[in-house]
Each structure stands twice: as C-alpha cells, then as structure tokens.
Amino acid sequence: MKANSFEELVIWQKSIAIGVQVYRLSDQLPLKNDYKSRDQLIGSAVSISNNIAEGFEYNNRIQFIKFLGYAKGSAGELRSQLALLVEVGRVSKEDYLNLKEELIGLSKQIKALITYLKNKKD
C-alpha cells in the first residue's frame, strides 16, 4: 500500500499516540512542576511525529529517509530522558517500561521503513 499522506502511516499514528501519553504523563506531579524536564520530554515526543510528517511532505525518498532517521533519533532521545526521569523519581517505573516498550517497537518499525526505502528500486 502506498500512503497518500503521512497521516496514513502507522509509524506516524503510533508516534502521535506516544506523544499523547507523554503529554498526559507531563501533566502529572511531580513532573508537572519540573518545567525543564517536562519541556524536553514533550519536545522529543513531538519531534518524532513532526519529523515523519516533514520528511514525507518533501515527496523525495532521500529526504524522507533522512527525516525518518531524525525521528528514530528522537525516539531514542525520549527513551533516554525517561530512563533518567525514572531514576530521579519524576516518572514511575511502570510508565517508563510501558513507554520504553512502545518506543523500541516504533524505532524498529522506522528502521524497517528506512531499510525498505533504501532498497526500493524506482
């Protein structure tokens, strides 16, 4: 299936769902009052879906691959931030483990799409 819009991409849909979870998590105490960590966490989460969308909209396979790489990097950044925040008591272990699992799955899907696009013959 060829996607006609980035909204049709499962990886974009999953990244939006992760972003919603991060926003909700950020609205809870004690993270709610840790403005710097909250902003960085939300920034990383939003960056995943935004990079997928931006890369898709270039209508250029090379550019899309580049932006998918950025999205995958943002997913890793978000996992790293969550790992730190769980250690300092700003995020529960349960929330961290749930998001970590989802982010690893999303990263694998992004990597698979990158590999597919790199090997695709025009």
Short mmCIF file of all heavy atoms in Angstrom, two decimals, residues 14-73:
data_model
loop_
_atom_site.label_atom_id
_atom_site.label_comp_id
_atom_site.label_asym_id
_atom_site.label_seq_id
_atom_site.Cartn_x
_atom_site.Cartn_y
_atom_site.Cartn_z
N LYS A 14 1.38 5.89 15.51
CA LYS A 14 1.95 5.43 16.78
C LYS A 14 2.72 6.55 17.48
O LYS A 14 2.69 6.66 18.70
CB LYS A 14 2.86 4.22 16.56
CG LYS A 14 2.08 2.97 16.26
CD LYS A 14 2.98 1.75 16.17
CE LYS A 14 2.13 0.51 15.96
NZ LYS A 14 2.93 -0.72 15.98
N SER A 15 3.43 7.36 16.70
CA SER A 15 4.18 8.45 17.32
C SER A 15 3.25 9.49 17.93
O SER A 15 3.56 10.08 18.97
CB SER A 15 5.15 9.09 16.31
OG SER A 15 4.46 9.74 15.27
N ILE A 16 2.10 9.71 17.32
CA ILE A 16 1.10 10.61 17.90
C ILE A 16 0.58 10.03 19.21
O ILE A 16 0.45 10.74 20.21
CB ILE A 16 -0.06 10.86 16.90
CG1 ILE A 16 0.42 11.74 15.73
CG2 ILE A 16 -1.27 11.50 17.59
CD1 ILE A 16 0.78 13.17 16.10
N ALA A 17 0.28 8.74 19.22
CA ALA A 17 -0.21 8.09 20.45
C ALA A 17 0.82 8.19 21.57
O ALA A 17 0.48 8.45 22.72
CB ALA A 17 -0.56 6.63 20.16
N ILE A 18 2.10 8.01 21.24
CA ILE A 18 3.16 8.16 22.24
C ILE A 18 3.23 9.60 22.72
O ILE A 18 3.37 9.87 23.91
CB ILE A 18 4.51 7.68 21.66
CG1 ILE A 18 4.51 6.15 21.53
CG2 ILE A 18 5.68 8.16 22.54
CD1 ILE A 18 5.67 5.58 20.74
N GLY A 19 3.10 10.54 21.80
CA GLY A 19 3.10 11.96 22.18
C GLY A 19 1.98 12.30 23.14
O GLY A 19 2.19 13.03 24.12
N VAL A 20 0.81 11.75 22.90
CA VAL A 20 -0.33 11.97 23.80
C VAL A 20 -0.02 11.42 25.19
O VAL A 20 -0.28 12.08 26.20
CB VAL A 20 -1.62 11.33 23.22
CG1 VAL A 20 -2.74 11.30 24.25
CG2 VAL A 20 -2.07 12.09 21.97
N GLN A 21 0.56 10.23 25.24
CA GLN A 21 0.94 9.64 26.53
C GLN A 21 1.95 10.52 27.27
O GLN A 21 1.84 10.71 28.48
CB GLN A 21 1.53 8.25 26.33
CG GLN A 21 0.54 7.20 25.92
CD GLN A 21 1.21 5.86 25.73
OE1 GLN A 21 1.83 5.35 26.65
NE2 GLN A 21 1.10 5.30 24.54
N VAL A 22 2.91 11.05 26.53
CA VAL A 22 3.94 11.90 27.15
C VAL A 22 3.32 13.19 27.67
O VAL A 22 3.65 13.64 28.78
CB VAL A 22 5.10 12.18 26.16
CG1 VAL A 22 6.01 13.28 26.67
CG2 VAL A 22 5.89 10.90 25.93
N TYR A 23 2.42 13.79 26.91
CA TYR A 23 1.73 15.00 27.39
C TYR A 23 0.97 14.70 28.68
O TYR A 23 1.03 15.47 29.64
CB TYR A 23 0.76 15.54 26.33
CG TYR A 23 1.33 16.66 25.51
CD1 TYR A 23 1.87 16.42 24.25
CD2 TYR A 23 1.33 17.97 25.99
CE1 TYR A 23 2.39 17.46 23.49
CE2 TYR A 23 1.84 19.01 25.23
CZ TYR A 23 2.37 18.74 23.98
OH TYR A 23 2.89 19.78 23.24
N ARG A 24 0.24 13.58 28.70
CA ARG A 24 -0.54 13.23 29.90
C ARG A 24 0.38 12.96 31.09
O ARG A 24 0.07 13.38 32.21
CB ARG A 24 -1.43 12.04 29.60
CG ARG A 24 -2.56 12.41 28.67
CD ARG A 24 -3.55 11.30 28.44
NE ARG A 24 -4.63 11.79 27.60
CZ ARG A 24 -5.27 11.07 26.69
NH1 ARG A 24 -4.96 9.81 26.53
NH2 ARG A 24 -6.22 11.60 25.97
N LEU A 25 1.48 12.27 30.84
CA LEU A 25 2.45 12.00 31.89
C LEU A 25 3.05 13.30 32.42
O LEU A 25 3.23 13.48 33.62
CB LEU A 25 3.56 11.09 31.34
CG LEU A 25 4.65 10.65 32.28
CD1 LEU A 25 4.10 9.77 33.38
CD2 LEU A 25 5.73 9.90 31.49
N SER A 26 3.30 14.23 31.53
CA SER A 26 3.90 15.52 31.90
C SER A 26 2.95 16.41 32.69
O SER A 26 3.40 17.34 33.37
CB SER A 26 4.36 16.26 30.64
OG SER A 26 5.36 15.53 29.98
N ASP A 27 1.67 16.13 32.60
CA ASP A 27 0.68 16.90 33.36
C ASP A 27 0.48 16.38 34.78
O ASP A 27 -0.30 16.94 35.54
CB ASP A 27 -0.67 16.90 32.62
CG ASP A 27 -0.66 17.84 31.42
OD1 ASP A 27 0.21 18.73 31.36
OD2 ASP A 27 -1.53 17.66 30.55
N GLN A 28 1.20 15.31 35.13
CA GLN A 28 1.08 14.72 36.46
C GLN A 28 2.25 15.16 37.34
O GLN A 28 3.35 15.40 36.85
CB GLN A 28 1.06 13.19 36.38
CG GLN A 28 -0.10 12.62 35.60
CD GLN A 28 0.02 11.12 35.40
OE1 GLN A 28 0.80 10.46 36.07
NE2 GLN A 28 -0.75 10.59 34.47
N LEU A 29 1.98 15.22 38.64
CA LEU A 29 3.06 15.51 39.60
C LEU A 29 3.92 14.27 39.75
O LEU A 29 3.43 13.16 39.62
CB LEU A 29 2.47 15.90 40.96
CG LEU A 29 1.78 17.27 41.00
CD1 LEU A 29 1.06 17.45 42.33
CD2 LEU A 29 2.79 18.39 40.79
N PRO A 30 5.21 14.38 39.98
CA PRO A 30 5.99 15.60 40.19
C PRO A 30 6.53 16.23 38.91
O PRO A 30 7.06 17.33 38.93
CB PRO A 30 7.14 15.13 41.08
CG PRO A 30 7.38 13.72 40.65
CD PRO A 30 6.01 13.18 40.28
N LEU A 31 6.37 15.54 37.77
CA LEU A 31 6.92 16.05 36.51
C LEU A 31 6.27 17.37 36.11
O LEU A 31 6.93 18.23 35.50
CB LEU A 31 6.74 15.00 35.41
CG LEU A 31 7.50 15.21 34.12
CD1 LEU A 31 8.99 15.38 34.36
CD2 LEU A 31 7.25 14.05 33.17
N LYS A 32 5.04 17.56 36.47
CA LYS A 32 4.29 18.76 36.11
C LYS A 32 5.02 20.05 36.52
O LYS A 32 4.97 21.05 35.81
CB LYS A 32 2.91 18.70 36.78
CG LYS A 32 2.01 19.85 36.47
CD LYS A 32 0.66 19.66 37.15
CE LYS A 32 -0.27 20.80 36.80
NZ LYS A 32 -1.61 20.57 37.34
N ASN A 33 5.70 20.02 37.67
CA ASN A 33 6.40 21.21 38.16
C ASN A 33 7.87 21.27 37.79
O ASN A 33 8.56 22.22 38.13
CB ASN A 33 6.24 21.31 39.68
CG ASN A 33 4.80 21.53 40.07
OD1 ASN A 33 4.04 22.17 39.35
ND2 ASN A 33 4.40 20.99 41.21
N ASP A 34 8.37 20.25 37.10
CA ASP A 34 9.76 20.22 36.62
C ASP A 34 9.74 20.72 35.18
O ASP A 34 9.75 19.95 34.23
CB ASP A 34 10.33 18.81 36.73
CG ASP A 34 11.80 18.73 36.32
OD1 ASP A 34 12.32 19.69 35.74
OD2 ASP A 34 12.41 17.67 36.59
N TYR A 35 9.68 22.03 35.02
CA TYR A 35 9.41 22.64 33.71
C TYR A 35 10.46 22.29 32.66
O TYR A 35 10.12 22.03 31.50
CB TYR A 35 9.26 24.15 33.84
CG TYR A 35 8.14 24.52 34.78
CD1 TYR A 35 8.41 25.10 36.02
CD2 TYR A 35 6.82 24.27 34.46
CE1 TYR A 35 7.38 25.43 36.90
CE2 TYR A 35 5.78 24.58 35.32
CZ TYR A 35 6.07 25.16 36.54
OH TYR A 35 5.05 25.47 37.40
N LYS A 36 11.71 22.30 33.03
CA LYS A 36 12.78 21.99 32.07
C LYS A 36 12.66 20.55 31.56
O LYS A 36 12.66 20.32 30.35
CB LYS A 36 14.15 22.21 32.73
CG LYS A 36 15.31 21.88 31.84
CD LYS A 36 16.06 23.13 31.47
CE LYS A 36 17.33 22.77 30.76
NZ LYS A 36 17.41 23.32 29.44
N SER A 37 12.54 19.60 32.47
CA SER A 37 12.42 18.20 32.07
C SER A 37 11.14 17.97 31.27
O SER A 37 11.13 17.26 30.26
CB SER A 37 12.42 17.28 33.29
OG SER A 37 13.66 17.35 33.94
N ARG A 38 10.07 18.60 31.71
CA ARG A 38 8.77 18.48 31.04
C ARG A 38 8.87 18.97 29.60
O ARG A 38 8.43 18.29 28.67
CB ARG A 38 7.75 19.29 31.83
CG ARG A 38 6.34 19.21 31.33
CD ARG A 38 5.44 20.10 32.21
NE ARG A 38 4.06 19.90 31.91
CZ ARG A 38 3.43 20.46 30.87
NH1 ARG A 38 4.06 21.26 30.07
NH2 ARG A 38 2.15 20.21 30.66
N ASP A 39 9.47 20.14 29.41
CA ASP A 39 9.60 20.71 28.07
C ASP A 39 10.48 19.84 27.18
O ASP A 39 10.18 19.64 25.99
CB ASP A 39 10.18 22.13 28.13
CG ASP A 39 9.18 23.14 28.67
OD1 ASP A 39 7.99 22.81 28.80
OD2 ASP A 39 9.62 24.27 28.98
N GLN A 40 11.58 19.32 27.72
CA GLN A 40 12.47 18.47 26.92
C GLN A 40 11.78 17.17 26.53
O GLN A 40 11.92 16.70 25.40
CB GLN A 40 13.76 18.18 27.69
CG GLN A 40 14.68 19.38 27.76
CD GLN A 40 15.98 19.06 28.49
OE1 GLN A 40 15.99 18.34 29.47
NE2 GLN A 40 17.06 19.62 27.99
N LEU A 41 11.05 16.60 27.47
CA LEU A 41 10.33 15.35 27.22
C LEU A 41 9.29 15.54 26.11
O LEU A 41 9.23 14.76 25.16
CB LEU A 41 9.66 14.89 28.52
CG LEU A 41 9.34 13.42 28.69
CD1 LEU A 41 10.61 12.60 28.67
CD2 LEU A 41 8.60 13.21 29.98
N ILE A 42 8.49 16.58 26.25
CA ILE A 42 7.46 16.87 25.25
C ILE A 42 8.12 17.19 23.90
O ILE A 42 7.66 16.72 22.85
CB ILE A 42 6.55 18.02 25.71
CG1 ILE A 42 5.68 17.53 26.87
CG2 ILE A 42 5.69 18.54 24.56
CD1 ILE A 42 4.90 18.63 27.57
N GLY A 43 9.20 17.95 23.92
CA GLY A 43 9.90 18.28 22.68
C GLY A 43 10.37 17.06 21.92
O GLY A 43 10.21 16.96 20.70
N SER A 44 10.94 16.11 22.64
CA SER A 44 11.40 14.87 21.99
C SER A 44 10.23 14.08 21.43
O SER A 44 10.31 13.56 20.31
CB SER A 44 12.15 13.99 23.00
OG SER A 44 13.33 14.61 23.42
N ALA A 45 9.16 13.98 22.19
CA ALA A 45 7.99 13.22 21.75
C ALA A 45 7.37 13.83 20.50
O ALA A 45 7.06 13.12 19.54
CB ALA A 45 6.97 13.14 22.88
N VAL A 46 7.21 15.14 20.50
CA VAL A 46 6.61 15.84 19.36
C VAL A 46 7.52 15.75 18.13
O VAL A 46 7.04 15.65 17.00
CB VAL A 46 6.30 17.30 19.74
CG1 VAL A 46 5.91 18.12 18.53
CG2 VAL A 46 5.20 17.35 20.80
N SER A 47 8.80 15.74 18.36
CA SER A 47 9.77 15.68 17.27
C SER A 47 9.64 14.40 16.45
O SER A 47 9.89 14.40 15.24
CB SER A 47 11.19 15.81 17.84
OG SER A 47 12.14 15.81 16.82
N ILE A 48 9.25 13.32 17.08
CA ILE A 48 9.12 12.05 16.35
C ILE A 48 8.08 12.19 15.24
O ILE A 48 8.39 11.98 14.06
CB ILE A 48 8.75 10.89 17.31
CG1 ILE A 48 9.80 10.72 18.40
CG2 ILE A 48 8.61 9.58 16.50
CD1 ILE A 48 9.37 9.78 19.53
N SER A 49 6.86 12.56 15.60
CA SER A 49 5.80 12.67 14.59
C SER A 49 6.06 13.80 13.61
O SER A 49 5.77 13.67 12.41
CB SER A 49 4.43 12.84 15.26
OG SER A 49 4.42 13.97 16.11
N ASN A 50 6.62 14.91 14.09
CA ASN A 50 6.89 16.04 13.20
C ASN A 50 7.93 15.70 12.13
O ASN A 50 7.80 16.11 10.98
CB ASN A 50 7.35 17.26 14.00
CG ASN A 50 6.21 17.94 14.71
OD1 ASN A 50 5.05 17.66 14.47
ND2 ASN A 50 6.55 18.83 15.62
N ASN A 51 8.95 14.95 12.50
CA ASN A 51 9.97 14.57 11.52
C ASN A 51 9.43 13.58 10.49
O ASN A 51 9.76 13.67 9.31
CB ASN A 51 11.22 14.01 12.21
CG ASN A 51 12.13 15.10 12.68
OD1 ASN A 51 12.56 15.93 11.89
ND2 ASN A 51 12.41 15.13 13.97
N ILE A 52 8.58 12.67 10.93
CA ILE A 52 7.94 11.75 9.98
C ILE A 52 7.10 12.55 8.98
O ILE A 52 7.19 12.35 7.77
CB ILE A 52 7.08 10.70 10.72
CG1 ILE A 52 7.98 9.77 11.54
CG2 ILE A 52 6.23 9.90 9.73
CD1 ILE A 52 7.23 8.91 12.55
N ALA A 53 6.30 13.47 9.50
CA ALA A 53 5.44 14.29 8.63
C ALA A 53 6.26 15.16 7.69
O ALA A 53 5.99 15.21 6.48
CB ALA A 53 4.52 15.16 9.50
N GLU A 54 7.26 15.85 8.23
CA GLU A 54 8.06 16.75 7.40
C GLU A 54 8.78 15.99 6.29
O GLU A 54 8.76 16.39 5.13
CB GLU A 54 9.06 17.51 8.26
CG GLU A 54 9.84 18.54 7.47
CD GLU A 54 10.75 19.41 8.33
OE1 GLU A 54 10.72 19.29 9.57
OE2 GLU A 54 11.49 20.21 7.73
N GLY A 55 9.39 14.88 6.64
CA GLY A 55 10.11 14.09 5.64
C GLY A 55 9.19 13.58 4.55
O GLY A 55 9.53 13.61 3.36
N PHE A 56 8.00 13.12 4.93
CA PHE A 56 7.03 12.63 3.96
C PHE A 56 6.63 13.73 2.98
O PHE A 56 6.52 13.49 1.78
CB PHE A 56 5.79 12.10 4.68
CG PHE A 56 4.79 11.46 3.76
CD1 PHE A 56 4.84 10.11 3.50
CD2 PHE A 56 3.79 12.23 3.17
CE1 PHE A 56 3.91 9.52 2.63
CE2 PHE A 56 2.86 11.66 2.30
CZ PHE A 56 2.92 10.29 2.04
N GLU A 57 6.43 14.92 3.50
CA GLU A 57 5.93 16.03 2.68
C GLU A 57 6.94 16.54 1.65
O GLU A 57 6.55 17.24 0.72
CB GLU A 57 5.47 17.18 3.57
CG GLU A 57 4.17 16.89 4.29
CD GLU A 57 2.98 16.69 3.35
OE1 GLU A 57 2.81 17.48 2.40
OE2 GLU A 57 2.24 15.72 3.56
N TYR A 58 8.19 16.18 1.77
CA TYR A 58 9.17 16.58 0.75
C TYR A 58 8.97 15.83 -0.56
O TYR A 58 9.50 16.24 -1.59
CB TYR A 58 10.60 16.37 1.25
CG TYR A 58 11.08 17.47 2.15
CD1 TYR A 58 11.30 17.24 3.50
CD2 TYR A 58 11.32 18.75 1.66
CE1 TYR A 58 11.74 18.26 4.34
CE2 TYR A 58 11.76 19.77 2.48
CZ TYR A 58 11.97 19.51 3.82
OH TYR A 58 12.40 20.52 4.64
N ASN A 59 8.21 14.73 -0.52
CA ASN A 59 7.98 13.91 -1.72
C ASN A 59 9.29 13.51 -2.39
O ASN A 59 9.42 13.52 -3.61
CB ASN A 59 7.06 14.63 -2.72
CG ASN A 59 5.65 14.72 -2.24
OD1 ASN A 59 5.13 13.78 -1.64
ND2 ASN A 59 5.02 15.86 -2.46
N ASN A 60 10.26 13.18 -1.55
CA ASN A 60 11.59 12.82 -2.03
C ASN A 60 12.10 11.71 -1.13
O ASN A 60 12.21 11.88 0.08
CB ASN A 60 12.49 14.07 -1.98
CG ASN A 60 13.91 13.78 -2.36
OD1 ASN A 60 14.62 13.03 -1.67
ND2 ASN A 60 14.35 14.40 -3.43
N ARG A 61 12.40 10.55 -1.73
CA ARG A 61 12.79 9.38 -0.94
C ARG A 61 14.01 9.64 -0.08
O ARG A 61 14.05 9.27 1.11
CB ARG A 61 13.04 8.19 -1.87
CG ARG A 61 13.31 6.90 -1.14
CD ARG A 61 13.25 5.68 -2.05
NE ARG A 61 13.94 5.85 -3.30
CZ ARG A 61 15.17 5.42 -3.53
NH1 ARG A 61 15.85 4.79 -2.62
NH2 ARG A 61 15.73 5.61 -4.73
N ILE A 62 15.02 10.30 -0.62
CA ILE A 62 16.26 10.58 0.13
C ILE A 62 15.96 11.48 1.34
O ILE A 62 16.44 11.23 2.45
CB ILE A 62 17.32 11.25 -0.78
CG1 ILE A 62 17.64 10.35 -2.00
CG2 ILE A 62 18.58 11.56 0.01
CD1 ILE A 62 18.19 9.00 -1.68
N GLN A 63 15.16 12.51 1.13
CA GLN A 63 14.79 13.40 2.24
C GLN A 63 13.95 12.66 3.28
O GLN A 63 14.13 12.86 4.48
CB GLN A 63 14.02 14.62 1.72
CG GLN A 63 14.87 15.61 0.96
CD GLN A 63 15.78 16.38 1.89
OE1 GLN A 63 16.61 15.84 2.61
NE2 GLN A 63 15.63 17.69 1.88
N PHE A 64 13.03 11.83 2.81
CA PHE A 64 12.20 11.08 3.74
C PHE A 64 13.06 10.17 4.62
O PHE A 64 12.88 10.12 5.84
CB PHE A 64 11.14 10.28 2.97
CG PHE A 64 10.06 9.68 3.82
CD1 PHE A 64 9.67 10.23 5.04
CD2 PHE A 64 9.40 8.54 3.39
CE1 PHE A 64 8.65 9.67 5.80
CE2 PHE A 64 8.38 7.96 4.16
CZ PHE A 64 8.02 8.53 5.36
N ILE A 65 14.01 9.48 4.01
CA ILE A 65 14.92 8.62 4.77
C ILE A 65 15.67 9.43 5.82
O ILE A 65 15.81 9.01 6.97
CB ILE A 65 15.90 7.89 3.82
CG1 ILE A 65 15.15 6.86 2.98
CG2 ILE A 65 17.05 7.24 4.60
CD1 ILE A 65 15.95 6.29 1.82
N LYS A 66 16.16 10.60 5.43
CA LYS A 66 16.89 11.46 6.37
C LYS A 66 16.01 11.84 7.57
O LYS A 66 16.43 11.72 8.72
CB LYS A 66 17.38 12.72 5.65
CG LYS A 66 18.16 13.66 6.53
CD LYS A 66 18.83 14.77 5.72
CE LYS A 66 17.90 15.93 5.54
NZ LYS A 66 18.57 17.11 4.96
N PHE A 67 14.79 12.25 7.31
CA PHE A 67 13.90 12.67 8.39
C PHE A 67 13.40 11.49 9.22
O PHE A 67 13.14 11.64 10.42
CB PHE A 67 12.75 13.52 7.85
CG PHE A 67 13.16 14.95 7.65
CD1 PHE A 67 13.76 15.36 6.46
CD2 PHE A 67 12.98 15.89 8.64
CE1 PHE A 67 14.16 16.67 6.28
CE2 PHE A 67 13.38 17.21 8.47
CZ PHE A 67 13.98 17.59 7.28
N LEU A 68 13.28 10.32 8.60
CA LEU A 68 12.96 9.12 9.39
C LEU A 68 14.09 8.83 10.37
O LEU A 68 13.86 8.41 11.50
CB LEU A 68 12.72 7.92 8.48
CG LEU A 68 11.41 7.92 7.69
CD1 LEU A 68 11.40 6.79 6.68
CD2 LEU A 68 10.21 7.83 8.63
N GLY A 69 15.33 9.07 9.94
CA GLY A 69 16.47 8.92 10.84
C GLY A 69 16.39 9.88 12.01
O GLY A 69 16.68 9.51 13.16
N TYR A 70 15.98 11.10 11.74
CA TYR A 70 15.80 12.08 12.83
C TYR A 70 14.70 11.62 13.80
O TYR A 70 14.84 11.75 15.02
CB TYR A 70 15.42 13.46 12.29
CG TYR A 70 16.45 14.13 11.43
CD1 TYR A 70 16.07 15.06 10.47
CD2 TYR A 70 17.81 13.86 11.55
CE1 TYR A 70 17.00 15.70 9.68
CE2 TYR A 70 18.75 14.49 10.75
CZ TYR A 70 18.33 15.41 9.81
OH TYR A 70 19.25 16.05 9.03
N ALA A 71 13.61 11.10 13.24
CA ALA A 71 12.50 10.62 14.07
C ALA A 71 12.97 9.47 14.96
O ALA A 71 12.66 9.43 16.16
CB ALA A 71 11.32 10.17 13.20
N LYS A 72 13.74 8.55 14.39
CA LYS A 72 14.27 7.42 15.16
C LYS A 72 15.20 7.93 16.26
O LYS A 72 15.17 7.44 17.40
CB LYS A 72 15.00 6.45 14.23
CG LYS A 72 15.41 5.15 14.87
CD LYS A 72 15.99 4.20 13.83
CE LYS A 72 16.41 2.88 14.42
NZ LYS A 72 17.29 2.94 15.56
N GLY A 73 16.01 8.93 15.94
CA GLY A 73 16.89 9.53 16.94
C GLY A 73 16.10 10.17 18.07
O GLY A 73 16.47 10.05 19.24
#
